Amino acid sequence: MYGNLKSILKTELAAAKENGTYKTERVLESAQGREITVAGPPSRKASAGRSKKYLNFCANNYLGLAGTELLEKASEETVKRWGFGLASVRFICGTQTVHKDLERAVAELIGAEDAVLYSSCFMANVGLFQTFFGEQDVIISDELNHASIIDAVRLSKAERAVYKHMDMVDLEEKLKASVGKRLRVIATDGVYSMDGDIAPLKEICDLADKYDALVMVDDAHATGVMGKNGGGTPEHCGVAQRVDFVTGTFGKALGGAGGAFTATHKEAADYLRNRSRTYLFSNSLDTAVTGTSLFVINHLKKHPEFRERLWENTRYFRELMKKNGFSVPNSQHPITPIMLGDEKKAVEMAKALFDEGIYVIGFAFPVVPKGKARIRVQISAAHTKEDIEEAVEKFTKVGKKFGVV
Ligand SMILES: *Cc1c(COP(=O)(O)O)cnc(C)c1O
């Protein structure tokens, strides 16, 4: 009987609408890209409800590869060569040459001995902690870690400890407090999605050495982006050989469709293939994503200009925004928060920018701490110099209206 659940859901949904946490999905009528077509809101008026073009500054499409003909073609060729799907898990009859090739390419990119493919980074995280860590062990996790790490930790039987965001003094306290455990693992995002701040992996690895702990980095926002060769935050921080587990996604910079991996030591990868439940009991990564991700990794080796353009665009945007009086933290990542403080202003300003044809998202409490409301801008290699100048011009126009600059 649905009745009871229905009344609970109605109350909960109404409450979410009341406190501003209700999510409405905007519907795209185009492929992903620097410019997208967004369906207009449904309206009885014939003139309203028309779709409109927007400059897109809110995708994780850092290298500008999502939605491109280049990847369309690569995926077509892959599907022609390897078929559409396997109807099997990897260990029965679902491993093709292309899966092995991609795992080798990922391991090389990250600087690990081996890599294991997953359907998503969420599943890679879930399939990691419960496989390696049990009741005798402890997972020490940054308080702002991604939801998938939080849930993954909950699904393991290990004890958990949480340290203050990027606070190395607190991390050391937690390490000291866990002496006597069989295994200890420090878990961190490589890049935090709200601020674009980069985890201090050098310091984390030093503490891990001092206290005999393992290090796990979820590099979803950094694989293909950070590091000279796109190896992610471990490469950027010079600790690629000292991180034990790197999880990452093909669903952001590396094409945007989906799919993910865990890059790790040889024995650990072997053990994942034998024991990791989200790997063993879930279908092989689909052929189009597997082949296209392999294409992307190889393509980026020959074309550093994707990453170069991304960093140029990021620097240009940050510089222009600061020059125009906006508060931009001194982080470096293409995730660029424009700090506004006031909850309402952040949300209203994002709406006003949308009306001006600039698609950005405002974040307010409880997604970010009270008083730290912001508009998050995500820069892409696909943006042109003119796109960035137009965004800054619209930001300035709207910012003046809201008394921000
Ligand atoms: C986006 C993201 C994920 C989820 O990746 P999927 O491959 O889409 O499941 C996991 N962790 C972090 C830190 C992320 O930013």
Side-chain angles (χ1 to χ4, degrees):
M1 282 291 289
Y2 181 49
N4 274 350
L5 176 59
K6 182 173 174 170
S7 76
I8 293 168
L9 300 184
K10 278 181 111 167
T11 311
E12 292 288 330
L13 288 168
K17 280 179 188 166
E18 186 64 35
N19 69 25
T21 57
Y22 183 82
K23 293 178 179 62
T24 325
E25 294 172 356
R26 284 199 174 118
V27 179
L28 310 193
E29 293 177 340
S30 65
Q32 188 58 278
R34 52 170 277 278
E35 188 177 66
I36 49 176
T37 312
V38 181
S43 163
R44 270 175 297 168
K45 269 192 252 162
S47 61
R50 262 184 309 186
S51 53
K52 203 181 148 198
K53 286 189 171 172
Y54 296 85
L55 281 181
N56 187 4
F57 283 90
C58 57
N60 303 314
N61 184 20
Y62 301 117
L63 297 174
L65 292 163
T68 58
E69 266 177 47
L70 183 70
L71 296 207
E72 227 173 82
K73 211 168 130 256
S75 93
E76 260 174 38
E77 280 169 14
T78 303
V79 171
K80 265 196 199 126
R81 171 65 182 85
W82 298 105
F84 176 67
L86 283 154
S88 173
V89 295
R90 286 284 301 274
F91 77 93
I92 297 185
C93 54
T95 298
Q96 295 168 310
T97 317
V98 68
H99 293 96
K100 299 310 285 180
D101 289 348
L102 177 58
E103 287 176 337
R104 263 191 297 273
V106 167
E108 192 199 323
L109 174 69
I110 305 302
E113 285 179 340
D114 201 353
V116 179
L117 303 178
Y118 284 86
S119 58
S120 70
C121 193
F122 203 125
M123 286 300 123
N125 290 339
V126 170
L128 194 155
F129 295 109
Q130 59 178 218
T131 302
F132 294 113
F133 306 106
E135 279 156 13
Q136 304 155 282
D137 310 318
V138 61
I139 302 164
I140 307 173
S141 179
D142 186 295
E143 65 179 341
L144 292 190
N145 275 345
H146 190 259
S148 60
I149 298 182
I150 293 169
D151 284 16
V153 171
R154 281 188 190 138
L155 286 167
S156 84
K157 292 201 171 70
E159 195 181 297
R160 76 187 96 120
V162 175
Y163 65 95
K164 290 197 195 98
H165 181 50
M166 292 194 189
D167 184 333
M168 294 301 104
V169 174
D170 195 35
L171 172 58
E172 185 158 16
E173 286 302 312
K174 299 295 185 295
L175 283 162
K176 278 183 188 159
S178 65
V179 171
K181 287 281 171 189
R182 185 186 67 160
L183 296 170
R184 293 181 280 176
V185 58
I186 304 164
T188 180
D189 282 19
V191 168
Y192 286 83
S193 67
M194 284 300 134
D195 292 288
D197 47 356
I198 298 161
L201 294 185
K202 164 85 172 51
E203 289 76 1
I204 289 174
C205 286
D206 288 347
L207 283 173
D209 285 349
K210 187 169 168 192
Y211 292 93
D212 194 20
L214 295 147
V215 177
M216 176 274 184
V217 177
D218 176 342
D219 230 11
H221 283 284
T223 308
V225 173
M226 304 294 306
K228 189 168 167 289
N229 302 301
T233 50
E235 187 192 6
H236 174 80
C237 299
V239 293
Q241 303 308 314
R242 299 172 68 194
V243 171
D244 300 286
F245 308 99
V246 176
T247 60
T249 185
F250 306 122
K252 286 177 176 144
L254 297 179
F261 61 85
T262 300
T264 183
H265 307 282
K266 183 172 163 291
E267 303 76 18
D270 196 15
Y271 198 73
L272 285 174
R273 290 194 180 97
N274 276 275
R275 296 287 172 83
S276 177
R277 297 172 70 79
T278 54
Y279 176 82
L280 284 168
F281 304 115
S282 189
N283 222 35
S284 295
L285 186 56
D286 78 84
T287 323
V289 165
T290 306
T292 310
S293 301
L294 178 60
F295 168 84
V296 166
I297 291 173
N298 289 332
H299 192 75
L300 290 174
K301 269 195 229 165
K302 286 173 269 167
H303 296 278
E305 65 270 19
F306 284 88
R307 227 170 1 258
E308 284 160 15
R309 223 178 305 134
L310 171 64
W311 290 112
E312 238 167 70
N313 284 348
T314 300
R315 275 191 295 270
Y316 190 49
F317 178 73
R318 283 173 175 263
E319 181 195 304
L320 284 186
M321 287 297 279
K322 280 184 195 165
K323 214 186 216 156
N324 280 272
F326 286 95
S327 165
V328 185
N330 279 327
S331 46
Q332 316 162 30
H333 196 268
I335 293 174
T336 311
I338 309 302
M339 304 309 288
L340 299 161
D342 186 81
E343 318 290 336
K344 218 170 166 174
K345 215 175 254 182
V347 176
E348 296 291 316
M349 237 182 102
K351 266 191 206 140
L353 282 158
F354 189 71
D355 292 337
E356 294 280 345
I358 306 293
Y359 194 175
V360 285
I361 306 286
F363 288 99
F365 182 80
V367 181
V368 292
K370 267 225 156 71
K372 297 243 171 159
R374 81 265 326 251
I375 290 176
R376 182 178 71 176
V377 179
Q378 290 174 283
I379 301 296
S380 169
H383 292 133
T384 63
K385 207 161 169 262
E386 290 73 31
D387 293 342
I388 286 171
E389 284 162 2
E390 186 175 337
V392 173
E393 184 198 313
K394 295 287 163 62
F395 255 101
T396 309
K397 178 178 164 190
V398 170
K400 276 184 185 147
K401 221 184 281 174
F402 280 81
V404 173
V405 290

